[in-house]
Amino acid sequence: RARLDAKLVAGTLDASVDAQGLPVAAVDPAYRGTVSGKLAIKRRGVRWDGGGTLVAAGVVIDPTLPVFEGDITVGVAGRLVTLDAHAKSAEIGATRLELQVEGPRDLTDVAAWKRLERTAVKTAAVTVDKVNLDAVSTTGGKVDGKVTIGGTNIQGSVEVKGVATPLGTAEGTVSFSPLGKDLFASWNALLSDVGEASIGVRIAFPQYPFDPAAWRQLGRGVVQSLTASFDDIAVDPVKLAKLGITVPYSGRADVRIAVGAAATAATIDV
């Protein structure tokens, strides 16, 4: 059941929603689970204030994925919009998204949202808590850590264990840092078939992150570069083929791979 109360007097709006056990199937008959919670909002002119919390229980949106629980708390104070969302599953683990954005003067102005630059994102933090990838990915493995992006500041790391790759299972720490206006992810990985590898990926963001057209324009260019280096590894034609190198070489070698923006160019040195 759900109760909606709203009062509009001389341009001033007060509204609240109280929902208990609403079926998620109302969105799509294939979905399962319920949503409960309370939201209250006030509007004075173009200023909005309020917030609330919604709690999801026993949710299934894809029959191939496990059941999950979660909650989301939203807040609005003038132009400042905050969100704190949690999701957890007994089979997968837990994740959290924290977001704080300084929106446009009128939060209902869609065009104004599209004009917001990246600095409008005060904080965007993603936390993965002992997430088991076996249930959601063919690579398997486990990840655990936190990444925070605020304006042009980027920091954090994620621990990776037991992830399947063409060169064997991988483990190590992926560290995140700013590189100019971009995000740089560096991974000192240990691969079971070849040993240690150093991998770096540079990821670009559009100037206007709330404009879908800006993301479409960036396209594959979101990956500005990818580099991988393997020092003094034992090689043979089979291992080299897994790296995209087709040569009849065997022995020990240093291998360097560099892929340019949007995968438009690549170089391999052995």
Side-chain angles (χ1 to χ4, degrees):
R1 64 181 181 84
R3 176 178 176 177
L4 171 64
D5 294 311
K7 181 171 66 175
L8 179 61
V9 179
T12 297
L13 173 68
D14 286 275
S16 63
V17 177
D18 186 349
Q20 298 297 325
L22 289 182
V24 182
V27 178
D28 187 313
Y31 295 169
R32 287 166 38 202
T34 61
V35 174
S36 303
K38 297 180 180 180
L39 297 171
I41 197 77
K42 297 180 180 180
R43 190 193 70 188
R44 304 291 185 270
V46 295
R47 180 185 173 94
W48 294 81
D49 293 276
T53 299
L54 296 175
V55 178
V59 175
V60 176
I61 58 176
D62 186 328
T64 65
L65 298 177
V67 177
F68 73 89
E69 319 285 332
D71 61 78
I72 179 170
T73 298
V74 296
V76 179
R79 296 177 58 179
L80 188 65
V81 180
T82 59
L83 178 148
D84 189 358
H86 301 77
K88 63 181 179 180
S89 164
E91 296 180 47
I92 299 177
T95 61
R96 180 182 185 184
L97 171 64
E98 301 165 87
L99 186 65
Q100 186 180 75
V101 177
E102 185 176 357
R105 180 173 175 271
D106 181 359
L107 296 181
T108 64
D109 188 340
V110 175
W113 275 98
K114 292 181 179 180
R115 292 193 296 269
L116 291 180
E117 298 191 5
R118 182 175 160 188
T119 52
V121 180
K122 302 307 178 183
T123 302
V126 178
T127 302
V128 287
D129 185 9
K130 300 178 179 61
V131 169
N132 183 358
L133 299 178
D134 292 341
V136 295
S137 172
T138 57
T139 65
K142 293 179 173 60
V143 293
D144 185 73
K146 181 176 181 177
V147 181
T148 301
I149 301 174
T152 57
N153 182 46
I154 300 168
Q155 62 182 354
S157 62
V158 174
E159 190 73 20
V160 177
K161 295 182 179 179
V163 174
T165 77
L167 297 176
T169 57
E171 63 179 47
T173 301
V174 182
S175 298
F176 299 86
S177 60
L179 183 59
K181 294 182 179 181
D182 300 335
L183 176 151
F184 185 71
S186 59
W187 185 16
N188 293 320
L190 180 62
L191 301 166
S192 60
D193 289 357
V194 297
E196 294 184 357
S198 179
I199 301 169
V201 182
R202 182 171 183 170
I203 299 174
F205 296 96
Q207 182 178 1
Y208 305 104
F210 296 96
D211 185 355
W215 286 98
R216 289 194 298 269
Q217 184 177 6
L218 192 59
R220 292 194 304 168
V222 68
V223 178
Q224 289 291 291
S225 65
L226 183 150
T227 59
S229 62
F230 308 84
D231 294 329
D232 192 30
I233 63 171
V235 297
D236 56 46
V238 174
K239 287 182 180 177
L240 290 172
K242 291 178 180 179
L243 294 172
I245 307 171
T246 306
V247 291
Y249 297 159
S250 297
R252 304 197 69 84
D254 295 337
V255 179
R256 304 284 184 271
I257 301 173
V259 180
T264 55
T267 60
I268 302 174
D269 297 320
V270 180

